[in-house]
Each structure stands twice: as C-alpha cells, then as structure tokens.
C-alpha cells in the first residue's frame, strides 16, 4: 500500500514538472514592436549639437532588416560609426556618429520597414524619429504620389526603390551629394517628406537602384520639377513621374567583330567621325546611326595584311559630338568570321501583305537579285523585287504577289550579296509559306487629344517587348494584319522632331519627351477588327483602370472595345522598314 502511494506521488510530480514552461499553441504574435522611449528628452528640442548617438527603446526584442537600404537620415549625417542591433536581437536600437550636428536644425530618422520583432518578424512600418537642435521641431511636409511613366505593371513592395529628395536651392547645387531631405516611396507610390523647414528647394524623385541615396544620372530613372519649390507651408498632392535618364557621353571600348571593329559609347552620340591612325589601314568605312551607342569600323583585314599572323595594336581617333580622343585596340583577325544571311521573319509563315525579310550580320552594300530565283512548290517561278531597307542597312526586303497557302523557295547564290569588303561566300535557300489572312486580326486606335507632334505608337507584349510600332501623327491609327494576342499600347512622343525618344536630363533641367500608356490591354482576335477609343487625358492606368478625373464620365463606356468582322481591305500595304522606326536603344 505504501508502495502504491509512493508511485502515485512520483507520477503526480512528473506530470506537474511537464507542465512547467510556456504553454503549447496559443495565438500567434501579430503585433509590431512598440516604441517606449529614447535617450533624447521627450520634448525633442534644444538637443545638444555634440550629441553622438540616438537610442530608441522598445517593448520587445527587435532586429534590423536591411537597415542600410531602409534608414534615411535628413539632413544627412555623413559619419555614421555604428548601428545596433547587428546580429543579436536587442530591446533597443542604437545609432552612433562622429559628426557635429547643425545648429537650429530638425533631424529626422526614417527607418522605413527595417525594425521588426525578433520572434515573428512583425514590421514596425515607416517608423520616424525626429528631434531639433533648435527651439522647435520643423513641422512642414510635402506629400504626393510617384509613378513610373513607362512601367507596364505595378512593382511589388520588395522591388520599389523609388525615393524623393529635396536639395536646398542655391547658386551651385551639388547633385552628386545626398539630398538635404530624402524619403522612400511606399509600395503604393505614396511619399511624405516630413519635418521640413521653410525655404527654397529643388525636388527630385529617382529610382535608387544601388541604395546610396544619390541620383546616378543615366543609370537611374528620374522625375523632377523645373521650377524651384518655395516651401512656406505644407504641400499635398505634389505628384511626379519618373522617366529613363540621359546618360553622359562616354567612350567605352573597341573590340574585334566580324568585318572589322566595334567601337562603343555610352550616352548615344548624335554624330561620330572616326579616322584610322595606321599606315597600312587607310581604306575603312564607318557606319553609325544617330543616337546609337555602336560605331562599326569596316575594313579588309586580309587585303591590308592586318592582324593576320600576330596581334596588332590599331589606333583610331574619334570625334563624338565634339568630344575627341585617340584610342587603340589589340586586333587579331578571326579566320572564322564570315558574312552570313538569315531569315528575319517570325518562323516560316509569312504574314499577308508583308515583304520577306533577310537579315545580314554585315551592312549590305550591294545585291544582285537578278541572279536569285523565287519558286512556289519547287516548280513555278515567280517575279519579285528586292531592295536594301532604307532604315536598316542590315536588312533586305523581298516583295512579290505571295499567294496565301502556297509554299515558296527563295534561292540566293553565293557572292550575290555584298558588303563593303566582303561577300556571302555560300548559297542560301529559304523555305517559307504565305500565311492566310484569317489567321490574323487588326486593331484601330482612335485618339482624342492626340499629341501635337509626331509620335511612335507601339504594341507591346506582356514582357514589354515592342512587337509592332508606327511613327505617325494621325488621329486614327490602324494596325492591319497582326497576330492575335493581348497587347499593351504605348505612345512615345517625338517632341523635338529628331526621330528619337529623348530621356530626362536632370542636371540640364530638361524633361523626358512625353509618354502615354493605354489603361487596359487590348485583345486582337483572328478575323476581327478591334477598335479602341483612347483619350490621352484619361488618367487611368493599367494597374488602376478606374477613372481618376475625366472631363466626360461617359468616356468610360465609349472606350470599351468595339468589334466587327475583319474584311480583307485594299488598304495600302504597311512596309516595316518605312513606317516603323526604333526610338529607343
């Protein structure tokens, strides 16, 4: 009996011990850390300029996530010495620095979404802490929305790298330094610049790709106002759009390529002149398209005995938009280099009313189409014409009365396609079939408030690749005989008429040329003529198709797709080489 009671007591004690500690299960912690206090007086004013640290205490253990990307201090404190916690969680955040603070200045520490609790990683969103070395906290603010003018889809919160900053307006603003005030743009495109002092500022928004809080021209998208901003009171609704930025002109490199040498620049020079500084290499041809970063230098390496047995150092001088220099490249002739041609069509099906396109890896200088043959079903010979494209010297266009459903063979003998110093040294045969019109549709876009200048209207796929485009200035644009698919429609305006879409230049205070994106994707169906009404003043976007402010609310119903059966019309054929230009590199 005593033994039974002894076992009962032991079992009770074991069960009791098992219950000691945290209960299993229970509600998951979903609360963000709570800020409790700091080492700075609660009034946060008259803070000593000689203070060297900021300590923030919380109600639970916290860690810092991507603190170097998230933390923004305005005005900037340059010499940050230490930020805690680093690897081990703490109930405080500590920032230490070496700088002496400015007098009568409000400092704002914007932590973004970097402060999270240690257990569940609950974020303390957009936490700010401000204090002043003067007698009051500056309390002005600027808020608004930032959008990417050419974005085709909304970025998620992890991709948004946009920031907004203010430079103090003076005679010489140093744009290579951090803005005096800066803040991040949230996932919805909203921003707030808080704790601002009255003054005159230059506002900028840019995509801070490298996280250094400094705008890198040519590498990061940018938006700005041309006029100086006079901040005497808080401003709401100051919205900006960011555009690709213009790169500064810079020589990059030269390298051996088939047919000669490729010289590359950054910044898209308008005009480039190149001279050879080599005694045995004077006969050269130079090709360059305005605003292109690539310059091709063509020559006959075999005839001039250049780089045949040893690598030679070739020197060239260039003049690119007034920037001059002499550069060199180590050149060794590659015996495998050869002039080749290939079909430049999408597969073996040739769309109705289009030319058969041939693409060369060399600039085409001369062709002999009288020696070519075009047959159908390997039997019947057909008449045709061929020409070098006026807009793309690497392309040959072959035109004939191609009959839908028939299979064709185009034979091009060797040495009938020539470049400056080379020829195609083997024969080619291209097999293709003329596709039927019922496999294609058409799209008409009727524009309201169209641009005053010429513009490119583009049909893009979901990845942003331009599939079709035209350069025009009409109110109604028809894309005839196009592949059935869903397309995004975009307009890029050639405001200055140089047949190139120019990016933004912040330092010269020049806006990017205008751009518009239709607020919905359009659907092209086989044998269907789709019609879209597009008011360019419509503020709807692909991500937000609801109307923000329309002069005529009834436009919403008018912009819905109207459709009718596609009839094979006798419209003038649209030539890809004459109606389509490439505005961007």
């Amino acid at each position: 009996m005593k033994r039974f009671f002894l076992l009962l007591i032991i079992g009770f004690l074991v069960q009791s011990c098992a219950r000691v500690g945290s209960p299993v299960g229970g509600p998951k912690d979903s609360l963000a850390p709570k800020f409790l206090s700091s080492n700075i007086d609660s009034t946060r004013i008259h803070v000593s300029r000689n203070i060297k640290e900021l300590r923030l205490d919380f109600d639970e253990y916290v860690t810092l996530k991507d603190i170097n990307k998230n933390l923004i201090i305005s005005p900037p404190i340059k010499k940050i010495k230490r930020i805690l916690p680093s690897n081990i969680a703490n109930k405080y955040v500590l920032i230490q620095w070496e700088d002496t603070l400015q007098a009568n200045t409000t400092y704002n520490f914007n932590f973004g979404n970097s402060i999270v609790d240690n257990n569940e990683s609950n974020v303390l969103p957009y936490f700010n802490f401000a204090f002043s070395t003067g007698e009051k906290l500056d309390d002005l603010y600027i808020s608004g929305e930032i959008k990417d003018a050419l974005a085709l889809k909304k970025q998620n919160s992890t991709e948004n790298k946009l920031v907004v900053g203010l430079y103090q307006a003076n005679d010489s603003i140093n744009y290579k330094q951090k803005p005096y005030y800066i803040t991040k743009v949230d996932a919805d495109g909203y921003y707030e610049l808080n704790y601002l002092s009255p003054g005159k500022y230059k506002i900028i928004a840019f995509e801070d790709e490298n996280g250094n809080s400094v705008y890198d021209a040519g590498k990061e998208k940018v938006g700005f106002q041309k006029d100086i901003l006079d901040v005497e009171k808080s401003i709401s609704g100051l919205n900006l759009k960011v555009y690709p930025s213009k790169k500064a002109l810079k020589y990059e490199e030269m390298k051996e390529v088939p047919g000669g040498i490729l010289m590359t620049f950054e910044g898209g020079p308008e005009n480039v002149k190149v001279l050879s500084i080599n005694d045995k290499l004077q006969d050269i041809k130079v090709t360059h398209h305005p605003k292109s970063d690539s310059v091709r230098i063509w020559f006959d390496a075999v005839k001039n005995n250049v780089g045949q047995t040893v690598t030679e150092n070739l020197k060239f001088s260039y003049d690119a938009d007034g920037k001059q220099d002499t550069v060199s490249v180590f050149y060794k002739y590659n015996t495998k280099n050869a002039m080749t041609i290939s079909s430049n069509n999408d597969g073996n099906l040739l769309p109705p009313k289009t030319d058969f396109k041939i693409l060369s890896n060399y600039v085409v200088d001369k062709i002999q189409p009288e020696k070519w043959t075009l047959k159908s079903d390997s039997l019947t010979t057909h008449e045709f014409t061929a020409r070098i494209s006026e807009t793309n010297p690497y392309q040959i266009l072959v035109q004939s009365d191609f009959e839908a459903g028939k299979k064709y063979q185009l034979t091009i003998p060797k040495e009938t396609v020539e470049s400056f110093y080379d020829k195609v040294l083997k024969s080619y045969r291209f097999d293709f079939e003329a596709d039927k019109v019922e496999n294609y549709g058409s799209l008409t876009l009727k524009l309201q408030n169209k641009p005053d200048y010429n513009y490119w209207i583009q049909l893009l796929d979901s990845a942003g690749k331009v599939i079709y485009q035209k350069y025009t200035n009409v109110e109604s644009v028809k894309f005839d005989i196009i592949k059935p698919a869903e397309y995004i429609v975009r307009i890029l305006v050639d405001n200055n008429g140089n047949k190139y879409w120019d990016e933004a230049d912040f330092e010269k205070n020049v806006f990017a040329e205008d751009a518009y994106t239709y607020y919905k994707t359009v659907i092209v169906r086989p044998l269907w003529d789709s019609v879209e009404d597009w008011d360019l003043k419509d503020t709807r976007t692909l991500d937000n198709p609801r109307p923000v402010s329309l002069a005529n609310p009834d436009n919403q119903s008018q912009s819905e797709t109207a459709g009718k059966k596609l009839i094979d019309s006798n419209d003038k054929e649209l030539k890809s080489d004459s109606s389509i230009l490439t505005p961007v590199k």
Side-chain angles (χ1 to χ4, degrees), residues 161-163 204-223 242-247 504 506:
K161 299 179 181 179
L162 292 170
V163 298
I204 181 176
F206 60 94
E207 194 168 32
D208 194 17
E209 285 287 348
N210 55 14
N212 66 353
S213 298
V214 177
Y215 166 60
D216 294 313
K219 299 178 181 178
E220 297 173 338
K221 297 176 182 179
V222 65
V242 296
Y243 294 83
S245 59
K246 181 178 176 58
K247 297 179 180 180
F506 176 59

PDB file of all heavy atoms in Angstrom, residues 161-163 204-223 242-247 504 506:
ATOM      1  N   LYS A 161      12.161  50.884 -55.381  1.00  0.00           N
ATOM      2  CA  LYS A 161      13.377  51.543 -54.917  1.00  0.00           C
ATOM      3  C   LYS A 161      13.306  53.055 -55.089  1.00  0.00           C
ATOM      4  O   LYS A 161      14.319  53.741 -55.002  1.00  0.00           O
ATOM      5  CB  LYS A 161      14.587  50.985 -55.677  1.00  0.00           C
ATOM      6  CG  LYS A 161      14.809  49.491 -55.468  1.00  0.00           C
ATOM      7  CD  LYS A 161      16.001  48.991 -56.271  1.00  0.00           C
ATOM      8  CE  LYS A 161      16.204  47.499 -56.073  1.00  0.00           C
ATOM      9  NZ  LYS A 161      17.357  46.985 -56.866  1.00  0.00           N
ATOM     10  N   LEU A 162      12.099  53.570 -55.328  1.00  0.00           N
ATOM     11  CA  LEU A 162      11.943  54.994 -55.560  1.00  0.00           C
ATOM     12  C   LEU A 162      12.130  55.788 -54.272  1.00  0.00           C
ATOM     13  O   LEU A 162      11.679  55.374 -53.197  1.00  0.00           O
ATOM     14  CB  LEU A 162      10.561  55.284 -56.136  1.00  0.00           C
ATOM     15  CG  LEU A 162      10.298  54.770 -57.561  1.00  0.00           C
ATOM     16  CD1 LEU A 162       8.825  54.908 -57.908  1.00  0.00           C
ATOM     17  CD2 LEU A 162      11.152  55.525 -58.567  1.00  0.00           C
ATOM     18  N   VAL A 163      12.782  56.929 -54.391  1.00  0.00           N
ATOM     19  CA  VAL A 163      12.943  57.869 -53.282  1.00  0.00           C
ATOM     20  C   VAL A 163      12.631  59.269 -53.797  1.00  0.00           C
ATOM     21  O   VAL A 163      12.657  59.530 -55.000  1.00  0.00           O
ATOM     22  CB  VAL A 163      14.367  57.827 -52.674  1.00  0.00           C
ATOM     23  CG1 VAL A 163      14.684  56.465 -52.093  1.00  0.00           C
ATOM     24  CG2 VAL A 163      15.409  58.217 -53.720  1.00  0.00           C
ATOM     25  N   ILE A 204      13.290  66.218 -56.419  1.00  0.00           N
ATOM     26  CA  ILE A 204      13.692  65.165 -57.333  1.00  0.00           C
ATOM     27  C   ILE A 204      13.135  63.846 -56.824  1.00  0.00           C
ATOM     28  O   ILE A 204      13.065  63.610 -55.617  1.00  0.00           O
ATOM     29  CB  ILE A 204      15.235  65.078 -57.467  1.00  0.00           C
ATOM     30  CG1 ILE A 204      15.638  63.972 -58.446  1.00  0.00           C
ATOM     31  CG2 ILE A 204      15.891  64.852 -56.117  1.00  0.00           C
ATOM     32  CD1 ILE A 204      17.139  63.880 -58.707  1.00  0.00           C
ATOM     33  N   ALA A 205      12.708  62.998 -57.743  1.00  0.00           N
ATOM     34  CA  ALA A 205      12.360  61.603 -57.440  1.00  0.00           C
ATOM     35  C   ALA A 205      13.229  60.726 -58.333  1.00  0.00           C
ATOM     36  O   ALA A 205      13.428  61.037 -59.503  1.00  0.00           O
ATOM     37  CB  ALA A 205      10.882  61.340 -57.712  1.00  0.00           C
ATOM     38  N   PHE A 206      13.772  59.672 -57.775  1.00  0.00           N
ATOM     39  CA  PHE A 206      14.599  58.791 -58.598  1.00  0.00           C
ATOM     40  C   PHE A 206      14.558  57.369 -58.053  1.00  0.00           C
ATOM     41  O   PHE A 206      14.221  57.131 -56.894  1.00  0.00           O
ATOM     42  CB  PHE A 206      16.047  59.291 -58.710  1.00  0.00           C
ATOM     43  CG  PHE A 206      16.792  59.420 -57.412  1.00  0.00           C
ATOM     44  CD1 PHE A 206      17.598  58.394 -56.938  1.00  0.00           C
ATOM     45  CD2 PHE A 206      16.719  60.593 -56.669  1.00  0.00           C
ATOM     46  CE1 PHE A 206      18.304  58.528 -55.750  1.00  0.00           C
ATOM     47  CE2 PHE A 206      17.419  60.737 -55.473  1.00  0.00           C
ATOM     48  CZ  PHE A 206      18.216  59.709 -55.018  1.00  0.00           C
ATOM     49  N   GLU A 207      14.882  56.442 -58.929  1.00  0.00           N
ATOM     50  CA  GLU A 207      14.906  55.034 -58.561  1.00  0.00           C
ATOM     51  C   GLU A 207      16.301  54.706 -58.057  1.00  0.00           C
ATOM     52  O   GLU A 207      17.248  54.576 -58.836  1.00  0.00           O
ATOM     53  CB  GLU A 207      14.554  54.163 -59.776  1.00  0.00           C
ATOM     54  CG  GLU A 207      14.225  52.738 -59.421  1.00  0.00           C
ATOM     55  CD  GLU A 207      13.611  51.989 -60.590  1.00  0.00           C
ATOM     56  OE1 GLU A 207      13.961  52.287 -61.742  1.00  0.00           O
ATOM     57  OE2 GLU A 207      12.770  51.112 -60.347  1.00  0.00           O
ATOM     58  N   ASP A 208      16.434  54.589 -56.745  1.00  0.00           N
ATOM     59  CA  ASP A 208      17.737  54.431 -56.102  1.00  0.00           C
ATOM     60  C   ASP A 208      18.201  52.980 -56.201  1.00  0.00           C
ATOM     61  O   ASP A 208      18.158  52.214 -55.240  1.00  0.00           O
ATOM     62  CB  ASP A 208      17.638  54.874 -54.636  1.00  0.00           C
ATOM     63  CG  ASP A 208      19.004  55.057 -53.994  1.00  0.00           C
ATOM     64  OD1 ASP A 208      20.000  55.160 -54.723  1.00  0.00           O
ATOM     65  OD2 ASP A 208      19.062  55.076 -52.753  1.00  0.00           O
ATOM     66  N   GLU A 209      18.666  52.619 -57.394  1.00  0.00           N
ATOM     67  CA  GLU A 209      18.995  51.226 -57.682  1.00  0.00           C
ATOM     68  C   GLU A 209      20.078  50.674 -56.757  1.00  0.00           C
ATOM     69  O   GLU A 209      20.005  49.538 -56.319  1.00  0.00           O
ATOM     70  CB  GLU A 209      19.444  51.083 -59.142  1.00  0.00           C
ATOM     71  CG  GLU A 209      18.317  51.152 -60.145  1.00  0.00           C
ATOM     72  CD  GLU A 209      17.453  49.906 -60.164  1.00  0.00           C
ATOM     73  OE1 GLU A 209      17.861  48.900 -59.571  1.00  0.00           O
ATOM     74  OE2 GLU A 209      16.371  49.946 -60.757  1.00  0.00           O
ATOM     75  N   ASN A 210      21.102  51.472 -56.472  1.00  0.00           N
ATOM     76  CA  ASN A 210      22.213  50.975 -55.656  1.00  0.00           C
ATOM     77  C   ASN A 210      22.086  51.325 -54.178  1.00  0.00           C
ATOM     78  O   ASN A 210      22.968  50.999 -53.383  1.00  0.00           O
ATOM     79  CB  ASN A 210      23.558  51.482 -56.190  1.00  0.00           C
ATOM     80  CG  ASN A 210      23.589  52.999 -56.291  1.00  0.00           C
ATOM     81  OD1 ASN A 210      22.733  53.690 -55.742  1.00  0.00           O
ATOM     82  ND2 ASN A 210      24.571  53.526 -57.005  1.00  0.00           N
ATOM     83  N   GLY A 211      20.997  51.981 -53.788  1.00  0.00           N
ATOM     84  CA  GLY A 211      20.735  52.235 -52.374  1.00  0.00           C
ATOM     85  C   GLY A 211      21.662  53.242 -51.714  1.00  0.00           C
ATOM     86  O   GLY A 211      21.777  53.264 -50.488  1.00  0.00           O
ATOM     87  N   ASN A 212      22.311  54.117 -52.513  1.00  0.00           N
ATOM     88  CA  ASN A 212      23.246  55.078 -51.912  1.00  0.00           C
ATOM     89  C   ASN A 212      22.627  56.448 -51.670  1.00  0.00           C
ATOM     90  O   ASN A 212      23.307  57.379 -51.249  1.00  0.00           O
ATOM     91  CB  ASN A 212      24.502  55.213 -52.785  1.00  0.00           C
ATOM     92  CG  ASN A 212      24.197  55.835 -54.154  1.00  0.00           C
ATOM     93  OD1 ASN A 212      23.025  56.042 -54.502  1.00  0.00           O
ATOM     94  ND2 ASN A 212      25.227  56.129 -54.917  1.00  0.00           N
ATOM     95  N   SER A 213      21.319  56.591 -51.954  1.00  0.00           N
ATOM     96  CA  SER A 213      20.579  57.842 -51.742  1.00  0.00           C
ATOM     97  C   SER A 213      21.116  58.999 -52.578  1.00  0.00           C
ATOM     98  O   SER A 213      20.855  60.164 -52.270  1.00  0.00           O
ATOM     99  CB  SER A 213      20.584  58.238 -50.254  1.00  0.00           C
ATOM    100  OG  SER A 213      19.934  57.258 -49.482  1.00  0.00           O
ATOM    101  N   VAL A 214      21.878  58.692 -53.614  1.00  0.00           N
ATOM    102  CA  VAL A 214      22.416  59.706 -54.525  1.00  0.00           C
ATOM    103  C   VAL A 214      21.968  59.358 -55.945  1.00  0.00           C
ATOM    104  O   VAL A 214      22.090  58.207 -56.376  1.00  0.00           O
ATOM    105  CB  VAL A 214      23.952  59.776 -54.464  1.00  0.00           C
ATOM    106  CG1 VAL A 214      24.482  60.793 -55.480  1.00  0.00           C
ATOM    107  CG2 VAL A 214      24.420  60.136 -53.067  1.00  0.00           C
ATOM    108  N   TYR A 215      21.450  60.359 -56.658  1.00  0.00           N
ATOM    109  CA  TYR A 215      20.976  60.129 -58.025  1.00  0.00           C
ATOM    110  C   TYR A 215      22.154  59.893 -58.960  1.00  0.00           C
ATOM    111  O   TYR A 215      23.069  60.713 -59.049  1.00  0.00           O
ATOM    112  CB  TYR A 215      20.152  61.328 -58.493  1.00  0.00           C
ATOM    113  CG  TYR A 215      19.895  61.349 -59.977  1.00  0.00           C
ATOM    114  CD1 TYR A 215      19.215  60.304 -60.594  1.00  0.00           C
ATOM    115  CD2 TYR A 215      20.336  62.413 -60.762  1.00  0.00           C
ATOM    116  CE1 TYR A 215      18.990  60.318 -61.960  1.00  0.00           C
ATOM    117  CE2 TYR A 215      20.099  62.439 -62.127  1.00  0.00           C
ATOM    118  CZ  TYR A 215      19.430  61.383 -62.716  1.00  0.00           C
ATOM    119  OH  TYR A 215      19.215  61.405 -64.069  1.00  0.00           O
ATOM    120  N   ASP A 216      22.130  58.758 -59.664  1.00  0.00           N
ATOM    121  CA  ASP A 216      23.165  58.412 -60.631  1.00  0.00           C
ATOM    122  C   ASP A 216      22.606  58.605 -62.037  1.00  0.00           C
ATOM    123  O   ASP A 216      21.838  57.771 -62.544  1.00  0.00           O
ATOM    124  CB  ASP A 216      23.623  56.961 -60.442  1.00  0.00           C
ATOM    125  CG  ASP A 216      24.318  56.760 -59.107  1.00  0.00           C
ATOM    126  OD1 ASP A 216      25.185  57.576 -58.782  1.00  0.00           O
ATOM    127  OD2 ASP A 216      23.990  55.796 -58.394  1.00  0.00           O
ATOM    128  N   ALA A 217      22.978  59.714 -62.662  1.00  0.00           N
ATOM    129  CA  ALA A 217      22.444  60.067 -63.981  1.00  0.00           C
ATOM    130  C   ALA A 217      22.777  58.991 -64.998  1.00  0.00           C
ATOM    131  O   ALA A 217      23.890  58.470 -65.027  1.00  0.00           O
ATOM    132  CB  ALA A 217      23.013  61.415 -64.433  1.00  0.00           C
ATOM    133  N   GLY A 218      21.795  58.650 -65.825  1.00  0.00           N
ATOM    134  CA  GLY A 218      21.993  57.660 -66.867  1.00  0.00           C
ATOM    135  C   GLY A 218      21.796  56.238 -66.414  1.00  0.00           C
ATOM    136  O   GLY A 218      21.639  55.335 -67.233  1.00  0.00           O
ATOM    137  N   LYS A 219      21.794  56.013 -65.110  1.00  0.00           N
ATOM    138  CA  LYS A 219      21.631  54.667 -64.574  1.00  0.00           C
ATOM    139  C   LYS A 219      20.318  54.501 -63.818  1.00  0.00           C
ATOM    140  O   LYS A 219      19.846  53.378 -63.645  1.00  0.00           O
ATOM    141  CB  LYS A 219      22.801  54.310 -63.651  1.00  0.00           C
ATOM    142  CG  LYS A 219      24.156  54.327 -64.340  1.00  0.00           C
ATOM    143  CD  LYS A 219      25.272  54.007 -63.369  1.00  0.00           C
ATOM    144  CE  LYS A 219      26.630  54.041 -64.069  1.00  0.00           C
ATOM    145  NZ  LYS A 219      27.746  53.773 -63.122  1.00  0.00           N
ATOM    146  N   GLU A 220      19.743  55.618 -63.365  1.00  0.00           N
ATOM    147  CA  GLU A 220      18.525  55.549 -62.554  1.00  0.00           C
ATOM    148  C   GLU A 220      17.454  56.460 -63.149  1.00  0.00           C
ATOM    149  O   GLU A 220      17.746  57.560 -63.635  1.00  0.00           O
ATOM    150  CB  GLU A 220      18.835  55.962 -61.107  1.00  0.00           C
ATOM    151  CG  GLU A 220      19.815  55.009 -60.447  1.00  0.00           C
ATOM    152  CD  GLU A 220      20.279  55.471 -59.074  1.00  0.00           C
ATOM    153  OE1 GLU A 220      20.201  56.686 -58.792  1.00  0.00           O
ATOM    154  OE2 GLU A 220      20.726  54.614 -58.295  1.00  0.00           O
ATOM    155  N   LYS A 221      16.212  56.001 -63.099  1.00  0.00           N
ATOM    156  CA  LYS A 221      15.088  56.795 -63.592  1.00  0.00           C
ATOM    157  C   LYS A 221      14.912  58.024 -62.709  1.00  0.00           C
ATOM    158  O   LYS A 221      15.204  57.989 -61.511  1.00  0.00           O
ATOM    159  CB  LYS A 221      13.822  55.947 -63.595  1.00  0.00           C
ATOM    160  CG  LYS A 221      13.906  54.750 -64.530  1.00  0.00           C
ATOM    161  CD  LYS A 221      12.668  53.884 -64.430  1.00  0.00           C
ATOM    162  CE  LYS A 221      12.794  52.661 -65.332  1.00  0.00           C
ATOM    163  NZ  LYS A 221      11.606  51.781 -65.230  1.00  0.00           N
ATOM    164  N   VAL A 222      14.382  59.102 -63.307  1.00  0.00           N
ATOM    165  CA  VAL A 222      14.314  60.362 -62.569  1.00  0.00           C
ATOM    166  C   VAL A 222      13.072  61.143 -62.960  1.00  0.00           C
ATOM    167  O   VAL A 222      12.577  61.052 -64.093  1.00  0.00           O
ATOM    168  CB  VAL A 222      15.587  61.215 -62.836  1.00  0.00           C
ATOM    169  CG1 VAL A 222      15.663  61.655 -64.294  1.00  0.00           C
ATOM    170  CG2 VAL A 222      15.656  62.409 -61.900  1.00  0.00           C
ATOM    171  N   GLY A 223      12.553  61.894 -62.017  1.00  0.00           N
ATOM    172  CA  GLY A 223      11.477  62.842 -62.243  1.00  0.00           C
ATOM    173  C   GLY A 223      11.731  64.077 -61.393  1.00  0.00           C
ATOM    174  O   GLY A 223      12.352  63.988 -60.330  1.00  0.00           O
ATOM    175  N   VAL A 242       8.543  59.398 -62.989  1.00  0.00           N
ATOM    176  CA  VAL A 242       9.958  59.167 -63.280  1.00  0.00           C
ATOM    177  C   VAL A 242      10.090  58.561 -64.673  1.00  0.00           C
ATOM    178  O   VAL A 242       9.246  57.771 -65.111  1.00  0.00           O
ATOM    179  CB  VAL A 242      10.634  58.260 -62.233  1.00  0.00           C
ATOM    180  CG1 VAL A 242      10.646  58.931 -60.879  1.00  0.00           C
ATOM    181  CG2 VAL A 242       9.968  56.900 -62.147  1.00  0.00           C
ATOM    182  N   TYR A 243      11.156  58.974 -65.373  1.00  0.00           N
ATOM    183  CA  TYR A 243      11.439  58.528 -66.727  1.00  0.00           C
ATOM    184  C   TYR A 243      12.888  58.039 -66.794  1.00  0.00           C
ATOM    185  O   TYR A 243      13.710  58.390 -65.940  1.00  0.00           O
ATOM    186  CB  TYR A 243      11.276  59.687 -67.717  1.00  0.00           C
ATOM    187  CG  TYR A 243       9.880  60.214 -67.882  1.00  0.00           C
ATOM    188  CD1 TYR A 243       9.342  61.137 -66.991  1.00  0.00           C
ATOM    189  CD2 TYR A 243       9.101  59.805 -68.965  1.00  0.00           C
ATOM    190  CE1 TYR A 243       8.052  61.636 -67.163  1.00  0.00           C
ATOM    191  CE2 TYR A 243       7.818  60.300 -69.149  1.00  0.00           C
ATOM    192  CZ  TYR A 243       7.297  61.213 -68.245  1.00  0.00           C
ATOM    193  OH  TYR A 243       6.028  61.698 -68.423  1.00  0.00           O
ATOM    194  N   PRO A 244      13.229  57.250 -67.826  1.00  0.00           N
ATOM    195  CA  PRO A 244      14.645  56.933 -68.029  1.00  0.00           C
ATOM    196  C   PRO A 244      15.463  58.210 -68.147  1.00  0.00           C
ATOM    197  O   PRO A 244      14.998  59.216 -68.685  1.00  0.00           O
ATOM    198  CB  PRO A 244      14.639  56.151 -69.353  1.00  0.00           C
ATOM    199  CG  PRO A 244      13.264  55.583 -69.457  1.00  0.00           C
ATOM    200  CD  PRO A 244      12.357  56.595 -68.821  1.00  0.00           C
ATOM    201  N   SER A 245      16.677  58.177 -67.644  1.00  0.00           N
ATOM    202  CA  SER A 245      17.514  59.376 -67.628  1.00  0.00           C
ATOM    203  C   SER A 245      18.613  59.288 -68.680  1.00  0.00           C
ATOM    204  O   SER A 245      19.088  58.200 -69.019  1.00  0.00           O
ATOM    205  CB  SER A 245      18.134  59.578 -66.245  1.00  0.00           C
ATOM    206  OG  SER A 245      18.932  58.462 -65.877  1.00  0.00           O
ATOM    207  N   LYS A 246      18.991  60.456 -69.176  1.00  0.00           N
ATOM    208  CA  LYS A 246      20.013  60.543 -70.219  1.00  0.00           C
ATOM    209  C   LYS A 246      21.382  60.250 -69.649  1.00  0.00           C
ATOM    210  O   LYS A 246      21.768  60.784 -68.608  1.00  0.00           O
ATOM    211  CB  LYS A 246      19.997  61.934 -70.852  1.00  0.00           C
ATOM    212  CG  LYS A 246      21.006  62.127 -71.978  1.00  0.00           C
ATOM    213  CD  LYS A 246      20.892  63.508 -72.584  1.00  0.00           C
ATOM    214  CE  LYS A 246      21.957  63.743 -73.643  1.00  0.00           C
ATOM    215  NZ  LYS A 246      21.890  62.742 -74.729  1.00  0.00           N
ATOM    216  N   LYS A 247      22.130  59.416 -70.350  1.00  0.00           N
ATOM    217  CA  LYS A 247      23.483  59.092 -69.936  1.00  0.00           C
ATOM    218  C   LYS A 247      24.459  60.131 -70.455  1.00  0.00           C
ATOM    219  O   LYS A 247      24.288  60.659 -71.551  1.00  0.00           O
ATOM    220  CB  LYS A 247      23.890  57.708 -70.454  1.00  0.00           C
ATOM    221  CG  LYS A 247      23.059  56.561 -69.899  1.00  0.00           C
ATOM    222  CD  LYS A 247      23.513  55.232 -70.479  1.00  0.00           C
ATOM    223  CE  LYS A 247      22.683  54.082 -69.927  1.00  0.00           C
ATOM    224  NZ  LYS A 247      23.103  52.783 -70.487  1.00  0.00           N
ATOM    225  N   ALA A 504      15.165  61.945 -69.847  1.00  0.00           N
ATOM    226  CA  ALA A 504      15.235  63.121 -68.983  1.00  0.00           C
ATOM    227  C   ALA A 504      16.691  63.477 -68.683  1.00  0.00           C
ATOM    228  O   ALA A 504      17.541  62.601 -68.534  1.00  0.00           O
ATOM    229  CB  ALA A 504      14.489  62.850 -67.672  1.00  0.00           C
ATOM    230  N   PHE A 506      18.315  65.661 -65.829  1.00  0.00           N
ATOM    231  CA  PHE A 506      18.044  66.401 -64.607  1.00  0.00           C
ATOM    232  C   PHE A 506      18.981  67.590 -64.442  1.00  0.00           C
ATOM    233  O   PHE A 506      18.564  68.701 -64.109  1.00  0.00           O
ATOM    234  CB  PHE A 506      18.160  65.462 -63.402  1.00  0.00           C
ATOM    235  CG  PHE A 506      17.988  66.144 -62.072  1.00  0.00           C
ATOM    236  CD1 PHE A 506      16.819  66.828 -61.762  1.00  0.00           C
ATOM    237  CD2 PHE A 506      18.998  66.106 -61.117  1.00  0.00           C
ATOM    238  CE1 PHE A 506      16.656  67.453 -60.539  1.00  0.00           C
ATOM    239  CE2 PHE A 506      18.849  66.728 -59.897  1.00  0.00           C
ATOM    240  CZ  PHE A 506      17.677  67.403 -59.604  1.00  0.00           C
TER     241      PHE A 506
END
